[in-house]
Amino acid sequence: MSALDPAVEDLVDSGRFRVLDLIRFDLPGKTAGYHRGGRPFTHNGLIYQPNRFLQMGSMSGTVGVAVSTRTIVFSNIPVDNPEDAVAAIESYNYQNAPVIIAHLAGDPDTDQAIGIIASSLYEIDQVRFSEGAVTGAERSLTMSIDLQPPGRSARGSTGVKRSSKEQQFDNDPDDTGLEYVATNASIPEEWGQVRR
């Protein structure tokens, strides 16, 4: 059974479709979207900015418990647009911010987006900058953003717990098993069956 929208499935089965790669950042206090097209593109109410998103990056991983990571690349930092969140990413608390990479199928004759082929959810791990050549009085940068899968799988066996909501996302929506982890170093907590 296919999880694709029937219109997308028909388009893919026809063998004639275009793919538009979108990337969405949900930074604290700011949502921003980018794509590799030539003009702004609106999808689900968000305007995706053009031309800055250079590389989608390939996924890399190994067999076992290692994390599958992905690196995406942006160009032309800094920019004149004060609303460009990626250019000012260091002004946000970007660590572990959600990133959604989506691939839309479009009609090649009309350039109309039909629907989503696939999407992946990541979190920002780190941001790196590479210096480019000097143009005028300014040196441009290329920015690489390393992504990792969200939740416990990304942290491996570190035992880090960021929030109860994340614990419930990784396990069961009603899970309260780690509710007292933040206090157990200073307040004795009774776990399991207690004999009286």
Side-chain angles (χ1 to χ4, degrees), residues 12-176:
V12 171
D13 287 344
S14 75
R16 290 193 68 244
F17 64 96
R18 290 190 179 170
V19 176
L20 176 62
D21 300 318
L22 304 177
I23 186 160
R24 173 186 171 137
F25 293 89
D26 288 318
L27 300 166
K30 179 77 172 177
T31 298
Y34 300 89
H35 73 104
R36 292 187 283 187
R39 61 185 182 270
F41 176 76
T42 302
H43 179 67
N44 285 344
L46 180 64
I47 298 173
Y48 288 80
Q49 299 301 321
N51 292 330
R52 300 265 321 295
F53 178 24
L54 290 182
Q55 295 176 11
M56 181 69 65
S58 59
M59 294 175 63
S60 61
T62 59
V63 175
V65 296
V67 177
S68 295
T69 61
R70 189 174 213 163
T71 300
I72 53 177
V73 180
F74 284 81
S75 67
N76 300 330
I77 309 294
V79 295
D80 295 330
N81 182 358
E83 294 298 313
D84 193 328
V86 168
I89 196 165
E90 291 189 318
S91 66
Y92 296 95
N93 183 14
Y94 64 80
Q95 190 76 33
N96 300 315
V99 175
I100 299 171
I101 296 177
H103 311 282
L104 300 185
D107 186 321
D109 297 325
T110 65
D111 287 337
Q112 177 71 32
I114 304 301
I116 296 175
I117 298 174
S119 65
S120 303
L121 176 63
Y122 294 95
E123 290 179 349
I124 296 175
D125 180 32
Q126 65 178 332
V127 175
R128 295 175 285 120
F129 295 94
S130 301
E131 291 185 355
V134 175
T135 305
E138 215 171 54
R139 181 181 299 271
S140 67
L141 297 174
T142 298
M143 178 174 55
S144 299
I145 302 175
D146 295 334
L147 305 174
Q148 62 186 2
R152 171 175 54 205
S153 61
R155 295 189 306 279
S157 60
T158 64
V160 174
K161 173 188 162 274
R162 292 199 308 257
S163 72
S164 294
K165 288 209 178 290
E166 185 178 272
Q167 173 68 15
Q168 291 165 350
F169 174 82
D170 284 336
N171 296 294
D172 182 272
D174 300 321
D175 189 344
T176 59

